[in-house]
Each structure stands twice: as C-alpha cells, then as structure tokens.
Amino acid sequence: MEPDDFDAMDDFERELRDAMQRRTAPAGLKKKILLRRAEGPKRRFQGPWIFQWEPATAVLAAMILVVVAAAAGFGEIFLMHQTQERRRGEEAKQQVFVALRITHHALEQMNAQLEERNRNSK
Amino acid sequence: MASDDGKPNFEQLVDEHQSMVFSLAVRMTGDRGLAEEIAQDVFLALDKNLRKIESPLHARNWLRRVTMSRAADALRRRRVRGIDLWVEIDEAHVAQGERRSSPLGARVERLLATLPEAQRSALILRYQEDLTPEEIAATLDAPLATVKSHLQRGLKLLRAKAAIQLKEYVRGA
C-alpha cells in the first residue's frame, strides 16, 4: 500500500485479508446472550425509581444530597446570624441616638441656666 | 431481518453479527473467554439501545463501534491490573463444530498481537471487515489522517514481521 493509496491491495494485503476471515462465534454464545437478556429485568429491584439506580450512583446521589443539605443548613445559620447582628446594630444605634438626645437636652438646660444667671448678675 | 415496525429484530441481529462481534473482540484482546464476555455485553447493550437503531446497516456499524470500544476498555482494565495483555490463543480449546482458523490465520493473529493497539484496531477493521479508511475513522471516532497513518505504519510493521516469521506463507511480504 503506497501512501494515500488505499484502494489497491498488494499480494500481502490480499493474503492478510484471506487470513483474517471472521471466526465462527462459540456455539453457545447466542444462547448465553438470550439467557442473560431474559435474566436482566429479574435481577433488578422493582421498587421506586431511586432504588433502581446502581449502588455507586445511589451513593453519589446521597453524597450530593448531604452536601446540598449541609450547604443549605450553613446558609440558613449564616443568614440568621446576619439578621441578629443587624438587629443588635440597630438597637445600639437607637441607644446612641437616645443618649445624644439626653445629652443635647442637658446641655440646653445648662445653657439656659447660665444665660439666666448672667442676666441676674447684670 | 426487520420486524413488523421496520426495526431490526434482536435475535436476528445476534444470528447475523455474532461472528463479526466475536472475531473483532478476539483479535483485539487475544483472549477467547474475554472476547465472549465482550460479545455478550455488546449484544446486551444493543438490546437496551434497540429503539435507537434505525436500520440493519446502522445496527452493524453500531455493533462494530461498540465492540471496538469495549475491547479497548477491556485491554485498558487489564493493563491497569498488570495482567499480560495477550493470552496465547489455545486452539485446543476451540469447541467441536466451530471453524478453526487456518494455520496462517492463527500466525497472523499472533503477529497482529505484537502491534500497538491503535494500529491493530485499524488493521483488523481494514482486513477483517474490509472497511475503507473513512469508515474506520468513523468507527473508531478518530481523525482520518490518524487512521491512515496507523494503517500504513501497522502494515509496514506487520509486513516486516511476516517477512521473517511467515516466509512459507507470504509471497508479497
């Protein structure tokens, strides 16, 4: 066979083709195939779809479910924690505002008293 | 060949193609027992996919492709386990009534076994199945140029080995 000449076969290739005739399949092959084919559905568990999976697939699916559930759980905890922190922050801010208002009120009173004292001394 | 709905019938497909599937598997693996297992698995896979098979030609091409792929997988598994790839074909174990391969055929198979797997696949499909390089490329899902290269290199190597070991049989080597 010359490069790119795949149509013409030389003597060696012809002999090779003759030597490589298909072999006869073993006598019982068809019977074994049909037997395994008939056994196939019986071997499978006829339960809910998830139990018909191969064990490895079922284990993998279970692992994925566990990971997803754990991620969802952690997410929930994280969100709750964030909400609590925000609420505490709001409460602290309100307390600071109240303290500022009280301070402001006290300063105004002191200022008023000082002004009154100044007026009296004059 | 086809059933009432025009689709191929499973048992007829087994009858018609068991020899092809078994021959491909045994020449790829060199192990009759393993080849028989592969053939069974391939036909059971065909049964599962029978609805997708559109014609007898489609079935034949599907069987060739899946057999080559399963045989390659089996060889890979054996390599991983460190088992000797090629088991000597014991002609004494050939069941009675089964056609024995010719002395030349048996020796050619032994020589084929010494070729790299990719070259062996291409040569088996070329000379057992009489496929063109384009058809081999489609069967093996490989680029045409690669298949042509495997064919040329494999044939050259086989020719060189045959020139030494099969002098009494081969005229053109």
Side-chain angles (χ1 to χ4, degrees):
Chain A
M1 183 169 60
E2 295 303 317
D4 283 339
D5 180 14
F6 289 92
D7 295 330
M9 281 195 185
D10 61 23
D11 283 349
F12 178 70
E13 289 180 271
R14 272 190 289 277
E15 293 194 40
L16 192 57
R17 192 180 55 186
D18 291 344
M20 286 181 65
Q21 293 294 307
R22 285 179 188 166
R23 286 163 154 253
T24 308
L29 180 60
K30 183 184 173 187
K31 200 174 162 186
K32 286 177 190 168
I33 292 166
L34 296 180
L35 199 67
R36 277 184 65 187
R37 183 191 188 212
E39 280 174 358
K42 284 181 204 159
R43 275 192 265 172
R44 283 182 214 136
F45 175 69
Q46 298 293 316
W49 61 273
I50 197 157
F51 294 115
Q52 293 178 21
W53 287 359
E54 294 290 326
T57 316
V59 168
L60 187 67
M63 283 170 69
I64 291 170
L65 274 175
V66 167
V67 169
V68 168
F74 282 126
E76 184 76 14
I77 290 167
F78 178 72
L79 280 176
M80 275 174 61
H81 180 72
Q82 264 200 331
T83 310
Q84 279 179 350
E85 285 295 305
R86 202 176 299 128
R87 205 179 57 228
R88 280 186 201 140
E90 284 294 324
E91 281 172 5
K93 199 164 81 181
Q94 291 305 321
Q95 283 172 355
V96 171
F97 285 153
V98 169
L100 284 172
R101 272 200 292 273
I102 291 168
T103 310
H104 178 71
H105 185 68
L107 286 171
E108 274 187 337
Q109 273 187 337
M110 281 177 69
N111 201 27
Q113 282 174 1
L114 282 172
E115 279 179 1
E116 196 178 338
R117 204 173 287 173
N118 284 343
R119 271 198 303 274
N120 290 341
S121 64
K122 283 177 186 174
Chain B
M1 171 77 200
S3 58
D4 294 341
D5 58 359
K7 297 259 182 176
N9 171 284
F10 179 71
E11 286 196 35
Q12 283 175 326
L13 287 173
V14 176
D15 276 333
E16 185 166 335
H17 297 300
Q18 59 177 338
S19 159
M20 174 189 79
V21 169
F22 177 72
S23 301
L24 288 174
V26 83
R27 287 194 169 119
M28 278 299 291
T29 62
D31 182 333
R32 288 182 61 83
L34 182 58
E36 201 174 331
E37 272 179 40
I38 291 170
Q40 289 179 28
D41 291 345
V42 167
F43 279 110
L44 291 175
L46 173 72
D47 185 39
K48 278 186 186 170
N49 290 281
L50 206 55
R51 273 183 297 177
K52 296 177 196 163
I53 302 295
E54 291 159 3
S55 67
L57 180 65
H58 184 195
R60 193 177 61 188
N61 292 339
W62 189 95
L63 283 168
R64 273 191 192 126
R65 189 163 46 78
V66 174
T67 305
M68 295 305 281
S69 159
R70 296 279 172 115
D73 288 346
L75 289 175
R76 212 165 293 129
R77 278 198 299 274
R78 288 197 150 196
R79 261 199 301 272
V80 169
R81 288 184 206 148
I83 299 171
D84 186 26
L85 291 186
W86 255 77
V87 178
E88 192 77 11
I89 297 167
D90 186 354
E91 292 297 319
H93 289 167
V94 177
Q96 275 218 323
E98 206 174 299
R99 197 185 75 197
R100 295 166 75 111
S101 64
S102 65
L104 176 60
R107 294 183 72 172
V108 164
E109 281 176 2
R110 289 198 186 106
L111 285 184
L112 261 178
T114 63
L115 299 183
E117 189 188 313
Q119 295 177 8
R120 189 161 74 240
S121 309
L123 289 180
I124 290 169
L125 289 171
R126 174 75 172 150
Y127 298 105
Q128 181 192 298
E129 294 302 310
D130 220 8
L131 298 188
T132 63
E134 289 78 8
E135 289 167 330
I136 297 170
T139 303
L140 298 176
D141 196 20
L144 180 59
T146 308
V147 167
K148 284 183 174 179
S149 163
H150 287 323
L151 281 172
Q152 283 167 347
R153 288 180 184 187
L155 192 62
K156 191 176 172 186
L157 198 54
L158 196 64
R159 211 187 283 271
K161 286 170 186 268
I164 299 165
Q165 298 181 33
L166 303 178
K167 276 181 207 160
E168 67 272 34
Y169 294 108
V170 181
R171 291 190 304 274

Short mmCIF file of all heavy atoms in Angstrom, two decimals, chain A residues 1-9 13, chain B residues 126-127 130-134 136 144-145 147-153 155:
data_model
loop_
_atom_site.label_atom_id
_atom_site.label_comp_id
_atom_site.label_asym_id
_atom_site.label_seq_id
_atom_site.Cartn_x
_atom_site.Cartn_y
_atom_site.Cartn_z
N MET A 1 0.85 -1.20 0.00
CA MET A 1 0.00 0.00 0.00
C MET A 1 0.89 1.25 0.00
O MET A 1 1.67 1.47 0.91
CB MET A 1 -0.89 -0.02 1.24
CG MET A 1 -1.85 1.12 1.32
SD MET A 1 -3.08 0.88 2.61
CE MET A 1 -2.05 0.77 4.07
N GLU A 2 0.76 2.02 -1.05
CA GLU A 2 1.53 3.27 -1.11
C GLU A 2 0.81 4.32 -0.27
O GLU A 2 -0.39 4.20 -0.01
CB GLU A 2 1.60 3.75 -2.57
CG GLU A 2 2.37 2.82 -3.50
CD GLU A 2 3.80 2.57 -3.03
OE1 GLU A 2 4.46 3.54 -2.62
OE2 GLU A 2 4.24 1.41 -3.03
N PRO A 3 1.54 5.37 0.11
CA PRO A 3 0.88 6.43 0.87
C PRO A 3 -0.34 6.95 0.12
O PRO A 3 -0.27 7.22 -1.07
CB PRO A 3 1.97 7.51 1.00
CG PRO A 3 3.24 6.75 0.89
CD PRO A 3 2.96 5.62 -0.04
N ASP A 4 -1.46 7.02 0.82
CA ASP A 4 -2.73 7.53 0.28
C ASP A 4 -3.31 6.64 -0.83
O ASP A 4 -4.24 7.04 -1.51
CB ASP A 4 -2.59 8.97 -0.23
CG ASP A 4 -2.57 9.95 0.92
OD1 ASP A 4 -3.07 9.58 2.01
OD2 ASP A 4 -2.05 11.05 0.74
N ASP A 5 -2.76 5.46 -1.02
CA ASP A 5 -3.34 4.56 -2.00
C ASP A 5 -3.99 3.41 -1.23
O ASP A 5 -3.38 2.37 -0.99
CB ASP A 5 -2.25 4.04 -2.96
CG ASP A 5 -2.83 3.09 -3.99
OD1 ASP A 5 -4.07 3.06 -4.11
OD2 ASP A 5 -2.05 2.40 -4.65
N PHE A 6 -5.25 3.63 -0.83
CA PHE A 6 -5.91 2.63 0.00
C PHE A 6 -6.87 1.77 -0.82
O PHE A 6 -7.57 0.94 -0.29
CB PHE A 6 -6.63 3.31 1.17
CG PHE A 6 -5.68 3.86 2.19
CD1 PHE A 6 -5.23 5.18 2.11
CD2 PHE A 6 -5.20 3.06 3.22
CE1 PHE A 6 -4.35 5.68 3.05
CE2 PHE A 6 -4.32 3.56 4.16
CZ PHE A 6 -3.89 4.88 4.08
N ASP A 7 -6.95 2.02 -2.12
CA ASP A 7 -7.88 1.25 -2.95
C ASP A 7 -7.23 -0.04 -3.43
O ASP A 7 -7.86 -1.08 -3.47
CB ASP A 7 -8.34 2.09 -4.14
CG ASP A 7 -9.17 3.28 -3.68
OD1 ASP A 7 -9.82 3.15 -2.63
OD2 ASP A 7 -9.14 4.33 -4.34
N ALA A 8 -5.97 0.07 -3.81
CA ALA A 8 -5.32 -1.11 -4.38
C ALA A 8 -4.67 -1.92 -3.27
O ALA A 8 -4.01 -1.38 -2.39
CB ALA A 8 -4.26 -0.65 -5.37
N MET A 9 -4.88 -3.25 -3.32
CA MET A 9 -4.24 -4.13 -2.33
C MET A 9 -3.16 -4.94 -3.03
O MET A 9 -3.38 -5.44 -4.14
CB MET A 9 -5.27 -5.09 -1.74
CG MET A 9 -6.16 -4.49 -0.68
SD MET A 9 -7.02 -5.78 0.23
CE MET A 9 -8.08 -4.80 1.26
N GLU A 13 -1.42 -7.86 1.27
CA GLU A 13 -2.68 -7.40 1.86
C GLU A 13 -3.82 -8.38 1.53
O GLU A 13 -4.68 -8.63 2.37
CB GLU A 13 -3.03 -6.01 1.35
CG GLU A 13 -2.13 -4.93 1.91
CD GLU A 13 -2.50 -3.57 1.38
OE1 GLU A 13 -1.98 -3.19 0.33
OE2 GLU A 13 -3.35 -2.91 1.99
N ARG B 126 -9.73 -2.98 8.75
CA ARG B 126 -9.42 -2.92 7.32
C ARG B 126 -9.48 -4.31 6.67
O ARG B 126 -10.10 -4.48 5.63
CB ARG B 126 -8.01 -2.32 7.16
CG ARG B 126 -7.47 -2.31 5.74
CD ARG B 126 -8.12 -1.26 4.91
NE ARG B 126 -7.47 -1.12 3.61
CZ ARG B 126 -8.08 -0.73 2.51
NH1 ARG B 126 -9.35 -0.43 2.56
NH2 ARG B 126 -7.44 -0.62 1.38
N TYR B 127 -8.84 -5.29 7.30
CA TYR B 127 -8.69 -6.58 6.61
C TYR B 127 -9.71 -7.63 7.06
O TYR B 127 -10.00 -8.53 6.30
CB TYR B 127 -7.25 -7.09 6.75
CG TYR B 127 -6.30 -6.12 6.09
CD1 TYR B 127 -5.50 -5.27 6.84
CD2 TYR B 127 -6.26 -6.01 4.70
CE1 TYR B 127 -4.68 -4.34 6.23
CE2 TYR B 127 -5.43 -5.08 4.09
CZ TYR B 127 -4.64 -4.25 4.86
OH TYR B 127 -3.84 -3.33 4.25
N ASP B 130 -13.04 -5.30 5.96
CA ASP B 130 -12.94 -4.74 4.60
C ASP B 130 -13.44 -3.28 4.56
O ASP B 130 -14.10 -2.87 3.61
CB ASP B 130 -13.76 -5.60 3.63
CG ASP B 130 -13.03 -5.76 2.31
OD1 ASP B 130 -11.86 -5.34 2.23
OD2 ASP B 130 -13.63 -6.27 1.36
N LEU B 131 -13.15 -2.52 5.60
CA LEU B 131 -13.62 -1.14 5.66
C LEU B 131 -12.60 -0.20 5.00
O LEU B 131 -11.40 -0.48 4.98
CB LEU B 131 -13.80 -0.68 7.11
CG LEU B 131 -14.84 -1.41 7.97
CD1 LEU B 131 -15.01 -0.67 9.29
CD2 LEU B 131 -16.17 -1.52 7.27
N THR B 132 -13.10 0.91 4.48
CA THR B 132 -12.22 1.94 3.94
C THR B 132 -11.65 2.76 5.10
O THR B 132 -12.22 2.73 6.21
CB THR B 132 -13.00 2.90 3.02
OG1 THR B 132 -13.98 3.55 3.83
CG2 THR B 132 -13.67 2.16 1.88
N PRO B 133 -10.57 3.50 4.87
CA PRO B 133 -10.05 4.34 5.97
C PRO B 133 -11.10 5.30 6.53
O PRO B 133 -11.13 5.55 7.74
CB PRO B 133 -8.90 5.11 5.30
CG PRO B 133 -8.45 4.20 4.20
CD PRO B 133 -9.69 3.53 3.70
N GLU B 134 -11.96 5.82 5.66
CA GLU B 134 -13.02 6.74 6.13
C GLU B 134 -13.98 6.01 7.08
O GLU B 134 -14.38 6.55 8.12
CB GLU B 134 -13.82 7.31 4.93
CG GLU B 134 -13.06 8.31 4.07
CD GLU B 134 -12.07 7.66 3.10
OE1 GLU B 134 -12.05 6.41 2.98
OE2 GLU B 134 -11.29 8.41 2.48
N ILE B 136 -13.28 3.34 8.81
CA ILE B 136 -12.54 3.01 10.05
C ILE B 136 -12.51 4.24 10.96
O ILE B 136 -12.72 4.14 12.18
CB ILE B 136 -11.11 2.54 9.72
CG1 ILE B 136 -11.16 1.25 8.91
CG2 ILE B 136 -10.30 2.32 10.99
CD1 ILE B 136 -9.82 0.83 8.33
N LEU B 144 -9.22 11.02 10.20
CA LEU B 144 -8.88 10.19 9.05
C LEU B 144 -7.37 10.08 8.86
O LEU B 144 -6.84 8.99 8.58
CB LEU B 144 -9.54 10.79 7.79
CG LEU B 144 -9.29 10.06 6.48
CD1 LEU B 144 -9.78 8.62 6.55
CD2 LEU B 144 -9.97 10.78 5.33
N ALA B 145 -6.67 11.20 9.03
CA ALA B 145 -5.21 11.18 8.85
C ALA B 145 -4.54 10.23 9.84
O ALA B 145 -3.59 9.53 9.50
CB ALA B 145 -4.66 12.59 9.01
N VAL B 147 -5.93 7.59 11.22
CA VAL B 147 -6.24 6.21 10.82
C VAL B 147 -5.34 5.79 9.67
O VAL B 147 -4.79 4.68 9.67
CB VAL B 147 -7.74 6.11 10.42
CG1 VAL B 147 -8.01 4.79 9.71
CG2 VAL B 147 -8.61 6.21 11.66
N LYS B 148 -5.16 6.67 8.67
CA LYS B 148 -4.29 6.33 7.53
C LYS B 148 -2.87 6.06 8.01
O LYS B 148 -2.21 5.13 7.54
CB LYS B 148 -4.31 7.47 6.51
CG LYS B 148 -5.59 7.51 5.69
CD LYS B 148 -5.53 8.61 4.65
CE LYS B 148 -6.74 8.57 3.73
NZ LYS B 148 -6.72 9.64 2.74
N SER B 149 -2.42 6.88 8.94
CA SER B 149 -1.07 6.69 9.48
C SER B 149 -0.96 5.35 10.21
O SER B 149 0.01 4.62 10.03
CB SER B 149 -0.75 7.86 10.42
OG SER B 149 0.32 7.55 11.23
N HIS B 150 -1.98 5.02 11.02
CA HIS B 150 -1.96 3.73 11.74
C HIS B 150 -1.96 2.57 10.75
O HIS B 150 -1.28 1.56 10.96
CB HIS B 150 -3.16 3.62 12.67
CG HIS B 150 -3.07 4.48 13.88
ND1 HIS B 150 -1.90 4.71 14.54
CD2 HIS B 150 -4.01 5.18 14.57
CE1 HIS B 150 -2.11 5.51 15.57
NE2 HIS B 150 -3.39 5.81 15.60
N LEU B 151 -2.74 2.70 9.70
CA LEU B 151 -2.81 1.63 8.70
C LEU B 151 -1.45 1.43 8.03
O LEU B 151 -0.98 0.30 7.90
CB LEU B 151 -3.86 1.96 7.63
CG LEU B 151 -5.32 1.70 8.01
CD1 LEU B 151 -6.26 2.26 6.95
CD2 LEU B 151 -5.60 0.22 8.21
N GLN B 152 -0.85 2.55 7.62
CA GLN B 152 0.43 2.44 6.91
C GLN B 152 1.54 1.90 7.82
O GLN B 152 2.26 0.98 7.45
CB GLN B 152 0.83 3.80 6.34
CG GLN B 152 0.04 4.13 5.10
CD GLN B 152 0.17 5.59 4.67
OE1 GLN B 152 0.65 6.42 5.42
NE2 GLN B 152 -0.28 5.89 3.47
N ARG B 153 1.61 2.45 9.02
CA ARG B 153 2.65 2.00 9.94
C ARG B 153 2.43 0.56 10.39
O ARG B 153 3.37 -0.22 10.48
CB ARG B 153 2.70 2.92 11.17
CG ARG B 153 3.27 4.27 10.85
CD ARG B 153 3.31 5.14 12.05
NE ARG B 153 3.77 6.48 11.70
CZ ARG B 153 4.02 7.41 12.57
NH1 ARG B 153 3.87 7.18 13.86
NH2 ARG B 153 4.43 8.61 12.20
N LEU B 155 0.79 -1.79 8.83
CA LEU B 155 1.02 -2.72 7.71
C LEU B 155 2.51 -2.90 7.46
O LEU B 155 2.97 -4.02 7.21
CB LEU B 155 0.32 -2.20 6.46
CG LEU B 155 0.22 -3.19 5.31
CD1 LEU B 155 -0.60 -4.41 5.69
CD2 LEU B 155 -0.40 -2.52 4.08
#
